[in-house]
Amino acid sequence: MKATARHSNPVGLHLLVAVALSLVINFSYLLMPLITQRGGVDSRSRRNDDATSVIEREGTLHLSRDMHGYITYDDSADSIYVSSWQVGFLKLEDGDRLVVSVQPLSGFPKHRIAGAHPRLNDVILRNGEEFDFEAIYDRPSKTSEFIWQILYYAVVSFILLSIMTLPFGAHRQKSWTFARRLMLSLALTGVLFFFAPVVCFHPSRIVTVLQADLRPMDYMVVLLKCVFMFVVTALYSRIYALMRQREAITVENERLKNEYLSTRYNMLISQINPHFFFNSLNSLSMLVREGDSARSLEYIDQLSYTFRYIIQNGQTTSMTLAEEMDFAEAYIYLFKIRYADKLFFDIDIDPAYAHWTLPALSLQPLIGNTVKHNSITPRKPLRVRIFTEDGKLVITNPKHPKLESEPSTGIGLENLRNRWHIITGRDIEIEDLEDRFTVRLPLQPPLKP
């Protein structure tokens, strides 16, 4: 009975968590191309469906040094504001002749539009040609962008999880506290932020944050991704550490429990030998007093066999019913020599139960107590039945109480009950009636190969 700690490899689990976290981080990002594309394609339909809310203007684009632009009208002093992001995204150039749509400012609060310019909504014509959004936007394929985003954040998440959870060796375990791992992960997150993949439009390719010239909002999106990844990995690692600690405590408790049961079982086994030896010496002394040397020698031979069986199997928790019955028959033989023609055993064991198991040396105290606590005389012989019934080994005998009970250690039956409960987790059934005493021992079916 020995508890073994089972430490499952967490790498597979951490890898799954890292992929799941990467998918969560990039879920909204992966939807953005669809939303953006749909917005560009559907803008014309929205203009046609709601012509009163969209104003079309024609003018010339003028770009400033910071790539912000204004579209000036030929017939008006007013202009349309074009952000640098729109200039880069739509690949507009200084001097482009544009027919554009703008949203009216009437829908905004007055305090927000004072002195403000209308903003570009959509480009309809560019230099006299219909503006084709799909043709000018040669961004990397969605598959490539998806793979880069998922792989990068999955790898980074896995690295952080490994730092936060994997042991660095027993001699360094104490130094790598949770706080130090947290600080190391935070520093690593800050470094890896600059290597996060983003889409660069000029030229259109996937680059790192360190290489790209992004808007502040784009930097903020990447930063939020990294922060979210760090927080989730930190929380997960803490939960994982608590689970491992709980598992370690459970394993340790199981080990201590098994050691306790083993020690207790060994103590109970050690009680059998003095008890059995006490009864055997009484029987042997009787034969010696009778002067029957032949029977005495035969008795000694059988006694030595029973002691040898106890020594060889005393530390064995379970035996098959067939093995236990072989020992019981030898043990019974000792009593038959002592109680010739006064003690009888009717044994009826179903062969189907031969390989079922029970705690070793279970019959010895029952047979010994039967002889010790009953009067056995020629006028009142004792007949003991041992048989199997409904998966149980049954030992029953009529009660012939002695006028004077023999000295008893009181450990035989209680010993058996304790051993049975320790090994099988079940209890024996004791039926103590006025005229009959019966013990039923539940057998354990053999393990399937």
mmCIF file of all heavy atoms in Angstrom, residues 19 24 127 141 183 219 272 377 379 412:
data_model
loop_
_atom_site.group_PDB
_atom_site.id
_atom_site.type_symbol
_atom_site.label_atom_id
_atom_site.label_comp_id
_atom_site.label_asym_id
_atom_site.label_seq_id
_atom_site.Cartn_x
_atom_site.Cartn_y
_atom_site.Cartn_z
ATOM 1 N N VAL A 19 -3.248 28.913 -27.150
ATOM 2 C CA VAL A 19 -3.976 29.050 -28.416
ATOM 3 C C VAL A 19 -5.347 29.669 -28.183
ATOM 4 O O VAL A 19 -5.786 30.556 -28.931
ATOM 5 C CB VAL A 19 -4.100 27.681 -29.108
ATOM 6 C CG1 VAL A 19 -5.006 27.777 -30.330
ATOM 7 C CG2 VAL A 19 -2.730 27.168 -29.519
ATOM 8 N N VAL A 24 -8.943 34.502 -28.479
ATOM 9 C CA VAL A 24 -9.766 35.508 -27.803
ATOM 10 C C VAL A 24 -9.210 36.904 -28.060
ATOM 11 O O VAL A 24 -9.956 37.853 -28.343
ATOM 12 C CB VAL A 24 -9.830 35.215 -26.289
ATOM 13 C CG1 VAL A 24 -10.495 36.369 -25.541
ATOM 14 C CG2 VAL A 24 -10.584 33.919 -26.035
ATOM 15 N N ASN A 127 -9.796 61.371 -60.011
ATOM 16 C CA ASN A 127 -9.226 61.803 -61.305
ATOM 17 C C ASN A 127 -10.073 61.333 -62.484
ATOM 18 O O ASN A 127 -9.575 60.827 -63.491
ATOM 19 C CB ASN A 127 -7.798 61.299 -61.453
ATOM 20 C CG ASN A 127 -6.874 61.834 -60.369
ATOM 21 O OD1 ASN A 127 -7.034 62.988 -59.938
ATOM 22 N ND2 ASN A 127 -5.931 61.026 -59.937
ATOM 23 N N SER A 141 -2.838 38.957 -47.531
ATOM 24 C CA SER A 141 -4.021 38.089 -47.502
ATOM 25 C C SER A 141 -4.503 37.893 -46.071
ATOM 26 O O SER A 141 -3.727 37.929 -45.114
ATOM 27 C CB SER A 141 -3.686 36.733 -48.121
ATOM 28 O OG SER A 141 -2.767 36.028 -47.311
ATOM 29 N N MET A 183 7.140 39.707 -12.250
ATOM 30 C CA MET A 183 7.932 40.824 -12.748
ATOM 31 C C MET A 183 8.683 40.449 -14.026
ATOM 32 O O MET A 183 8.776 41.252 -14.964
ATOM 33 C CB MET A 183 8.924 41.268 -11.663
ATOM 34 C CG MET A 183 8.267 41.837 -10.414
ATOM 35 S SD MET A 183 7.225 43.279 -10.787
ATOM 36 C CE MET A 183 8.471 44.429 -11.379
ATOM 37 N N TYR A 219 -1.211 51.806 -31.821
ATOM 38 C CA TYR A 219 -0.333 51.407 -30.730
ATOM 39 C C TYR A 219 -1.140 50.986 -29.503
ATOM 40 O O TYR A 219 -0.793 50.023 -28.807
ATOM 41 C CB TYR A 219 0.599 52.563 -30.356
ATOM 42 C CG TYR A 219 1.716 52.797 -31.329
ATOM 43 C CD1 TYR A 219 1.745 53.955 -32.111
ATOM 44 C CD2 TYR A 219 2.745 51.874 -31.479
ATOM 45 C CE1 TYR A 219 2.777 54.187 -33.014
ATOM 46 C CE2 TYR A 219 3.782 52.097 -32.378
ATOM 47 C CZ TYR A 219 3.785 53.252 -33.161
ATOM 48 O OH TYR A 219 4.800 53.467 -34.038
ATOM 49 N N ILE A 272 -1.273 -11.649 15.744
ATOM 50 C CA ILE A 272 -1.732 -12.996 15.435
ATOM 51 C C ILE A 272 -0.784 -14.035 16.005
ATOM 52 O O ILE A 272 -1.198 -15.028 16.583
ATOM 53 C CB ILE A 272 -1.876 -13.179 13.915
ATOM 54 C CG1 ILE A 272 -3.032 -12.325 13.408
ATOM 55 C CG2 ILE A 272 -2.101 -14.632 13.548
ATOM 56 C CD1 ILE A 272 -3.212 -12.391 11.910
ATOM 57 N N THR A 377 -17.059 -32.133 23.950
ATOM 58 C CA THR A 377 -17.024 -33.396 24.698
ATOM 59 C C THR A 377 -17.623 -34.500 23.850
ATOM 60 O O THR A 377 -18.308 -34.220 22.852
ATOM 61 C CB THR A 377 -17.819 -33.264 26.010
ATOM 62 O OG1 THR A 377 -19.210 -33.034 25.696
ATOM 63 C CG2 THR A 377 -17.284 -32.121 26.871
ATOM 64 N N ARG A 379 -20.112 -36.285 24.535
ATOM 65 C CA ARG A 379 -21.570 -36.176 24.579
ATOM 66 C C ARG A 379 -22.057 -34.953 23.808
ATOM 67 O O ARG A 379 -23.176 -34.934 23.328
ATOM 68 C CB ARG A 379 -22.046 -36.086 26.033
ATOM 69 C CG ARG A 379 -21.705 -37.336 26.851
ATOM 70 C CD ARG A 379 -22.254 -37.223 28.239
ATOM 71 N NE ARG A 379 -23.690 -37.057 28.229
ATOM 72 C CZ ARG A 379 -24.435 -36.886 29.331
ATOM 73 N NH1 ARG A 379 -23.856 -36.848 30.528
ATOM 74 N NH2 ARG A 379 -25.739 -36.743 29.240
ATOM 75 N N GLY A 412 -8.696 -11.468 18.967
ATOM 76 C CA GLY A 412 -8.873 -12.261 17.757
ATOM 77 C C GLY A 412 -9.909 -11.709 16.793
ATOM 78 O O GLY A 412 -9.596 -11.355 15.648
#
